[in-house]
mmCIF file of all heavy atoms in Angstrom:
data_model
loop_
_atom_site.group_PDB
_atom_site.id
_atom_site.type_symbol
_atom_site.label_atom_id
_atom_site.label_comp_id
_atom_site.label_asym_id
_atom_site.label_seq_id
_atom_site.Cartn_x
_atom_site.Cartn_y
_atom_site.Cartn_z
ATOM 1 N N ALA A 1223 0.815 -1.198 0.021
ATOM 2 C CA ALA A 1223 0.015 -0.007 -0.004
ATOM 3 C C ALA A 1223 0.860 1.262 0.018
ATOM 4 O O ALA A 1223 0.570 2.223 -0.723
ATOM 5 C CB ALA A 1223 -0.945 -0.009 1.209
ATOM 6 N N GLN A 1224 1.938 1.262 0.845
ATOM 7 C CA GLN A 1224 2.807 2.439 0.901
ATOM 8 C C GLN A 1224 3.545 2.620 -0.409
ATOM 9 O O GLN A 1224 3.693 3.767 -0.908
ATOM 10 C CB GLN A 1224 3.759 2.319 2.060
ATOM 11 C CG GLN A 1224 3.149 2.460 3.423
ATOM 12 C CD GLN A 1224 4.184 2.455 4.543
ATOM 13 O OE1 GLN A 1224 5.333 2.844 4.328
ATOM 14 N NE2 GLN A 1224 3.768 2.053 5.741
ATOM 15 N N LEU A 1225 4.065 1.548 -0.991
ATOM 16 C CA LEU A 1225 4.792 1.680 -2.278
ATOM 17 C C LEU A 1225 3.880 2.089 -3.407
ATOM 18 O O LEU A 1225 4.288 2.819 -4.297
ATOM 19 C CB LEU A 1225 5.500 0.360 -2.554
ATOM 20 C CG LEU A 1225 6.738 0.027 -1.733
ATOM 21 C CD1 LEU A 1225 7.164 -1.396 -1.949
ATOM 22 C CD2 LEU A 1225 7.861 0.981 -2.088
ATOM 23 N N LYS A 1226 2.646 1.611 -3.374
ATOM 24 C CA LYS A 1226 1.687 1.999 -4.378
ATOM 25 C C LYS A 1226 1.471 3.504 -4.376
ATOM 26 O O LYS A 1226 1.432 4.171 -5.410
ATOM 27 C CB LYS A 1226 0.370 1.274 -4.121
ATOM 28 C CG LYS A 1226 -0.708 1.497 -5.214
ATOM 29 C CD LYS A 1226 -1.998 0.792 -4.851
ATOM 30 C CE LYS A 1226 -1.837 -0.709 -4.830
ATOM 31 N NZ LYS A 1226 -3.111 -1.439 -4.577
ATOM 32 N N GLN A 1227 1.339 4.048 -3.144
ATOM 33 C CA GLN A 1227 1.166 5.482 -3.026
ATOM 34 C C GLN A 1227 2.430 6.242 -3.392
ATOM 35 O O GLN A 1227 2.396 7.262 -4.095
ATOM 36 C CB GLN A 1227 0.755 5.844 -1.564
ATOM 37 C CG GLN A 1227 0.476 7.297 -1.368
ATOM 38 C CD GLN A 1227 -0.020 7.580 0.061
ATOM 39 O OE1 GLN A 1227 0.204 6.779 0.971
ATOM 40 N NE2 GLN A 1227 -0.699 8.691 0.244
ATOM 41 N N GLN A 1228 3.580 5.746 -2.956
ATOM 42 C CA GLN A 1228 4.866 6.431 -3.223
ATOM 43 C C GLN A 1228 5.181 6.458 -4.701
ATOM 44 O O GLN A 1228 5.685 7.479 -5.215
ATOM 45 C CB GLN A 1228 5.979 5.761 -2.433
ATOM 46 C CG GLN A 1228 7.356 6.349 -2.677
ATOM 47 C CD GLN A 1228 8.413 5.735 -1.830
ATOM 48 O OE1 GLN A 1228 8.492 5.968 -0.619
ATOM 49 N NE2 GLN A 1228 9.277 4.890 -2.419
ATOM 50 N N THR A 1229 4.918 5.384 -5.412
ATOM 51 C CA THR A 1229 5.271 5.301 -6.797
ATOM 52 C C THR A 1229 4.189 5.881 -7.698
ATOM 53 O O THR A 1229 4.445 6.171 -8.900
ATOM 54 C CB THR A 1229 5.506 3.811 -7.254
ATOM 55 O OG1 THR A 1229 4.310 3.075 -7.010
ATOM 56 C CG2 THR A 1229 6.646 3.211 -6.438
ATOM 57 N N GLY A 1230 2.987 6.038 -7.174
ATOM 58 C CA GLY A 1230 1.908 6.555 -7.988
ATOM 59 C C GLY A 1230 1.471 5.614 -9.074
ATOM 60 O O GLY A 1230 0.888 6.016 -10.090
ATOM 61 N N ALA A 1231 1.727 4.289 -8.886
ATOM 62 C CA ALA A 1231 1.464 3.313 -9.927
ATOM 63 C C ALA A 1231 0.030 2.844 -10.023
ATOM 64 O O ALA A 1231 -0.365 2.220 -10.977
ATOM 65 C CB ALA A 1231 2.373 2.097 -9.691
ATOM 66 N N GLY A 1232 -0.773 3.182 -9.023
ATOM 67 C CA GLY A 1232 -2.192 2.805 -9.072
ATOM 68 C C GLY A 1232 -2.428 1.365 -8.683
ATOM 69 O O GLY A 1232 -1.551 0.676 -8.176
ATOM 70 N N ASP A 1233 -3.671 0.892 -8.955
ATOM 71 C CA ASP A 1233 -4.090 -0.423 -8.502
ATOM 72 C C ASP A 1233 -3.362 -1.557 -9.189
ATOM 73 O O ASP A 1233 -3.425 -2.703 -8.719
ATOM 74 C CB ASP A 1233 -5.588 -0.571 -8.741
ATOM 75 C CG ASP A 1233 -6.407 0.323 -7.814
ATOM 76 O OD1 ASP A 1233 -5.865 0.754 -6.788
ATOM 77 O OD2 ASP A 1233 -7.601 0.633 -8.146
ATOM 78 N N GLU A 1234 -2.710 -1.301 -10.332
ATOM 79 C CA GLU A 1234 -1.993 -2.362 -11.031
ATOM 80 C C GLU A 1234 -0.625 -2.630 -10.419
ATOM 81 O O GLU A 1234 0.046 -3.579 -10.813
ATOM 82 C CB GLU A 1234 -1.799 -1.962 -12.500
ATOM 83 C CG GLU A 1234 -3.129 -1.818 -13.264
ATOM 84 C CD GLU A 1234 -4.003 -3.070 -13.179
ATOM 85 O OE1 GLU A 1234 -3.457 -4.174 -13.429
ATOM 86 O OE2 GLU A 1234 -5.195 -2.954 -12.814
ATOM 87 N N PHE A 1235 -0.206 -1.816 -9.423
ATOM 88 C CA PHE A 1235 1.102 -2.024 -8.836
ATOM 89 C C PHE A 1235 1.192 -3.365 -8.106
ATOM 90 O O PHE A 1235 0.245 -3.782 -7.403
ATOM 91 C CB PHE A 1235 1.383 -0.878 -7.824
ATOM 92 C CG PHE A 1235 2.654 -1.114 -7.043
ATOM 93 C CD1 PHE A 1235 3.888 -0.812 -7.582
ATOM 94 C CD2 PHE A 1235 2.625 -1.666 -5.767
ATOM 95 C CE1 PHE A 1235 5.082 -0.993 -6.855
ATOM 96 C CE2 PHE A 1235 3.760 -1.880 -5.031
ATOM 97 C CZ PHE A 1235 5.010 -1.540 -5.596
ATOM 98 N N ARG A 1236 2.306 -4.038 -8.265
ATOM 99 C CA ARG A 1236 2.590 -5.287 -7.569
ATOM 100 C C ARG A 1236 4.003 -5.190 -6.964
ATOM 101 O O ARG A 1236 4.878 -4.505 -7.486
ATOM 102 C CB ARG A 1236 2.535 -6.490 -8.508
ATOM 103 C CG ARG A 1236 1.141 -6.713 -9.109
ATOM 104 C CD ARG A 1236 0.089 -7.162 -8.080
ATOM 105 N NE ARG A 1236 -1.219 -7.421 -8.675
ATOM 106 C CZ ARG A 1236 -2.185 -6.582 -8.753
ATOM 107 N NH1 ARG A 1236 -2.041 -5.323 -8.265
ATOM 108 N NH2 ARG A 1236 -3.329 -6.910 -9.300
ATOM 109 N N LEU A 1237 4.264 -5.920 -5.902
ATOM 110 C CA LEU A 1237 5.554 -5.891 -5.268
ATOM 111 C C LEU A 1237 6.661 -6.389 -6.187
ATOM 112 O O LEU A 1237 7.817 -5.964 -6.043
ATOM 113 C CB LEU A 1237 5.543 -6.728 -3.981
ATOM 114 C CG LEU A 1237 4.765 -6.079 -2.812
ATOM 115 C CD1 LEU A 1237 4.727 -7.060 -1.620
ATOM 116 C CD2 LEU A 1237 5.401 -4.777 -2.383
ATOM 117 N N CYS A 1238 6.338 -7.220 -7.159
ATOM 118 C CA CYS A 1238 7.372 -7.639 -8.158
ATOM 119 C C CYS A 1238 7.793 -6.509 -9.055
ATOM 120 O O CYS A 1238 8.840 -6.594 -9.721
ATOM 121 C CB CYS A 1238 6.889 -8.817 -8.953
ATOM 122 S SG CYS A 1238 5.503 -8.442 -10.015
ATOM 123 N N ASP A 1239 7.012 -5.431 -9.109
ATOM 124 C CA ASP A 1239 7.401 -4.238 -9.907
ATOM 125 C C ASP A 1239 8.513 -3.455 -9.180
ATOM 126 O O ASP A 1239 9.303 -2.756 -9.805
ATOM 127 C CB ASP A 1239 6.204 -3.320 -10.120
ATOM 128 C CG ASP A 1239 5.109 -4.008 -10.889
ATOM 129 O OD1 ASP A 1239 5.400 -4.870 -11.736
ATOM 130 O OD2 ASP A 1239 3.911 -3.663 -10.645
ATOM 131 N N TYR A 1240 8.539 -3.592 -7.861
ATOM 132 C CA TYR A 1240 9.518 -2.849 -7.060
ATOM 133 C C TYR A 1240 10.756 -3.711 -6.723
ATOM 134 O O TYR A 1240 11.894 -3.273 -6.895
ATOM 135 C CB TYR A 1240 8.882 -2.340 -5.755
ATOM 136 C CG TYR A 1240 9.782 -1.485 -4.897
ATOM 137 C CD1 TYR A 1240 9.936 -0.139 -5.172
ATOM 138 C CD2 TYR A 1240 10.442 -2.038 -3.811
ATOM 139 C CE1 TYR A 1240 10.775 0.625 -4.378
ATOM 140 C CE2 TYR A 1240 11.266 -1.290 -3.010
ATOM 141 C CZ TYR A 1240 11.445 0.067 -3.310
ATOM 142 O OH TYR A 1240 12.266 0.838 -2.525
ATOM 143 N N PHE A 1241 10.495 -4.919 -6.233
ATOM 144 C CA PHE A 1241 11.584 -5.810 -5.867
ATOM 145 C C PHE A 1241 12.072 -6.581 -7.079
ATOM 146 O O PHE A 1241 11.305 -7.019 -7.925
ATOM 147 C CB PHE A 1241 11.127 -6.760 -4.753
ATOM 148 C CG PHE A 1241 10.950 -6.073 -3.431
ATOM 149 C CD1 PHE A 1241 9.677 -5.726 -2.964
ATOM 150 C CD2 PHE A 1241 12.049 -5.750 -2.641
ATOM 151 C CE1 PHE A 1241 9.489 -5.086 -1.796
ATOM 152 C CE2 PHE A 1241 11.864 -5.101 -1.430
ATOM 153 C CZ PHE A 1241 10.599 -4.760 -0.981
ATOM 154 N N ASP A 1242 13.402 -6.767 -7.147
ATOM 155 C CA ASP A 1242 14.019 -7.429 -8.298
ATOM 156 C C ASP A 1242 14.252 -8.929 -8.077
ATOM 157 O O ASP A 1242 14.312 -9.683 -9.026
ATOM 158 C CB ASP A 1242 15.393 -6.773 -8.554
ATOM 159 C CG ASP A 1242 15.252 -5.275 -8.825
ATOM 160 O OD1 ASP A 1242 14.449 -4.921 -9.725
ATOM 161 O OD2 ASP A 1242 15.919 -4.484 -8.130
ATOM 162 N N TYR A 1243 14.390 -9.340 -6.798
ATOM 163 C CA TYR A 1243 14.698 -10.723 -6.487
ATOM 164 C C TYR A 1243 13.935 -11.043 -5.182
ATOM 165 O O TYR A 1243 14.158 -10.390 -4.145
ATOM 166 C CB TYR A 1243 16.177 -10.854 -6.307
ATOM 167 C CG TYR A 1243 16.818 -12.226 -6.525
ATOM 168 C CD1 TYR A 1243 18.184 -12.371 -6.781
ATOM 169 C CD2 TYR A 1243 16.036 -13.402 -6.503
ATOM 170 C CE1 TYR A 1243 18.770 -13.589 -6.994
ATOM 171 C CE2 TYR A 1243 16.635 -14.635 -6.732
ATOM 172 C CZ TYR A 1243 18.018 -14.720 -6.964
ATOM 173 O OH TYR A 1243 18.576 -15.935 -7.186
ATOM 174 N N VAL A 1244 13.063 -12.022 -5.217
ATOM 175 C CA VAL A 1244 12.249 -12.379 -4.067
ATOM 176 C C VAL A 1244 12.597 -13.828 -3.694
ATOM 177 O O VAL A 1244 12.573 -14.712 -4.559
ATOM 178 C CB VAL A 1244 10.735 -12.256 -4.363
ATOM 179 C CG1 VAL A 1244 9.923 -12.638 -3.129
ATOM 180 C CG2 VAL A 1244 10.380 -10.857 -4.841
ATOM 181 N N GLY A 1245 12.918 -14.047 -2.420
ATOM 182 C CA GLY A 1245 13.263 -15.394 -1.999
ATOM 183 C C GLY A 1245 12.409 -15.844 -0.839
ATOM 184 O O GLY A 1245 12.049 -15.030 0.031
ATOM 185 N N GLY A 1246 12.097 -17.134 -0.766
ATOM 186 C CA GLY A 1246 11.278 -17.627 0.354
ATOM 187 C C GLY A 1246 11.593 -19.094 0.665
ATOM 188 O O GLY A 1246 12.016 -19.867 -0.181
ATOM 189 N N THR A 1247 11.314 -19.432 1.891
ATOM 190 C CA THR A 1247 11.473 -20.786 2.399
ATOM 191 C C THR A 1247 10.151 -21.243 2.941
ATOM 192 O O THR A 1247 9.472 -20.503 3.658
ATOM 193 C CB THR A 1247 12.532 -20.855 3.514
ATOM 194 O OG1 THR A 1247 13.786 -20.412 3.008
ATOM 195 C CG2 THR A 1247 12.696 -22.264 4.035
ATOM 196 N N SER A 1248 9.733 -22.487 2.603
ATOM 197 C CA SER A 1248 8.505 -23.076 3.114
ATOM 198 C C SER A 1248 7.304 -22.209 2.809
ATOM 199 O O SER A 1248 7.054 -21.905 1.648
ATOM 200 C CB SER A 1248 8.683 -23.332 4.628
ATOM 201 O OG SER A 1248 7.685 -24.191 5.133
ATOM 202 N N THR A 1249 6.584 -21.764 3.816
ATOM 203 C CA THR A 1249 5.415 -20.893 3.535
ATOM 204 C C THR A 1249 5.874 -19.635 2.846
ATOM 205 O O THR A 1249 5.167 -19.043 2.022
ATOM 206 C CB THR A 1249 4.617 -20.559 4.826
ATOM 207 O OG1 THR A 1249 3.324 -20.081 4.496
ATOM 208 C CG2 THR A 1249 5.335 -19.536 5.731
ATOM 209 N N GLY A 1250 7.109 -19.163 3.130
ATOM 210 C CA GLY A 1250 7.669 -18.014 2.416
ATOM 211 C C GLY A 1250 7.878 -18.260 0.960
ATOM 212 O O GLY A 1250 7.797 -17.360 0.151
ATOM 213 N N ALA A 1251 8.082 -19.562 0.573
ATOM 214 C CA ALA A 1251 8.223 -19.901 -0.831
ATOM 215 C C ALA A 1251 6.901 -19.753 -1.545
ATOM 216 O O ALA A 1251 6.834 -19.371 -2.715
ATOM 217 C CB ALA A 1251 8.759 -21.334 -0.951
ATOM 218 N N ILE A 1252 5.809 -20.122 -0.917
ATOM 219 C CA ILE A 1252 4.467 -19.958 -1.520
ATOM 220 C C ILE A 1252 4.272 -18.491 -1.793
ATOM 221 O O ILE A 1252 3.837 -18.079 -2.912
ATOM 222 C CB ILE A 1252 3.376 -20.458 -0.580
ATOM 223 C CG1 ILE A 1252 3.504 -21.986 -0.325
ATOM 224 C CG2 ILE A 1252 1.984 -20.136 -1.135
ATOM 225 C CD1 ILE A 1252 2.503 -22.527 0.690
ATOM 226 N N ILE A 1253 4.542 -17.630 -0.815
ATOM 227 C CA ILE A 1253 4.313 -16.200 -0.967
ATOM 228 C C ILE A 1253 5.263 -15.610 -2.007
ATOM 229 O O ILE A 1253 4.824 -14.839 -2.873
ATOM 230 C CB ILE A 1253 4.479 -15.477 0.389
ATOM 231 C CG1 ILE A 1253 3.479 -16.035 1.412
ATOM 232 C CG2 ILE A 1253 4.348 -13.978 0.221
ATOM 233 C CD1 ILE A 1253 3.711 -15.575 2.825
ATOM 234 N N ALA A 1254 6.527 -16.003 -1.955
ATOM 235 C CA ALA A 1254 7.526 -15.459 -2.891
ATOM 236 C C ALA A 1254 7.162 -15.838 -4.339
ATOM 237 O O ALA A 1254 7.232 -14.987 -5.244
ATOM 238 C CB ALA A 1254 8.886 -15.989 -2.545
ATOM 239 N N ALA A 1255 6.709 -17.072 -4.556
ATOM 240 C CA ALA A 1255 6.360 -17.516 -5.893
ATOM 241 C C ALA A 1255 5.150 -16.714 -6.424
ATOM 242 O O ALA A 1255 5.084 -16.287 -7.557
ATOM 243 C CB ALA A 1255 6.081 -18.999 -5.929
ATOM 244 N N GLY A 1256 4.196 -16.521 -5.538
ATOM 245 C CA GLY A 1256 3.015 -15.704 -5.901
ATOM 246 C C GLY A 1256 3.362 -14.272 -6.250
ATOM 247 O O GLY A 1256 2.884 -13.724 -7.217
ATOM 248 N N LEU A 1257 4.217 -13.674 -5.441
ATOM 249 C CA LEU A 1257 4.627 -12.288 -5.702
ATOM 250 C C LEU A 1257 5.398 -12.210 -7.026
ATOM 251 O O LEU A 1257 5.173 -11.287 -7.807
ATOM 252 C CB LEU A 1257 5.514 -11.759 -4.563
ATOM 253 C CG LEU A 1257 4.840 -11.602 -3.199
ATOM 254 C CD1 LEU A 1257 5.859 -11.085 -2.178
ATOM 255 C CD2 LEU A 1257 3.650 -10.661 -3.248
#
C-alpha cells in the first residue's frame, strides 16, 4: 500500500514491480512465488 502510493502506480502495482529478487522458504516460498 505504501509503495503503491509512493510510486503513484495505481491499482496495477505489484511488489514484483519494485523488488528485483524475491526469496522464500517453506510458507515463504508460496508467498515469494506468488509475488
Side-chain angles (χ1 to χ4, degrees):
Q1224 290 187 24
L1225 285 168
K1226 184 182 296 183
Q1227 183 176 22
Q1228 178 176 285
T1229 60
D1233 291 340
E1234 298 304 310
F1235 173 82
R1236 298 290 183 266
L1237 287 175
C1238 64
D1239 299 328
Y1240 184 81
F1241 289 100
D1242 303 306
Y1243 205 161
V1244 182
T1247 301
S1248 194
T1249 198
I1252 297 176
I1253 299 170
L1257 295 180

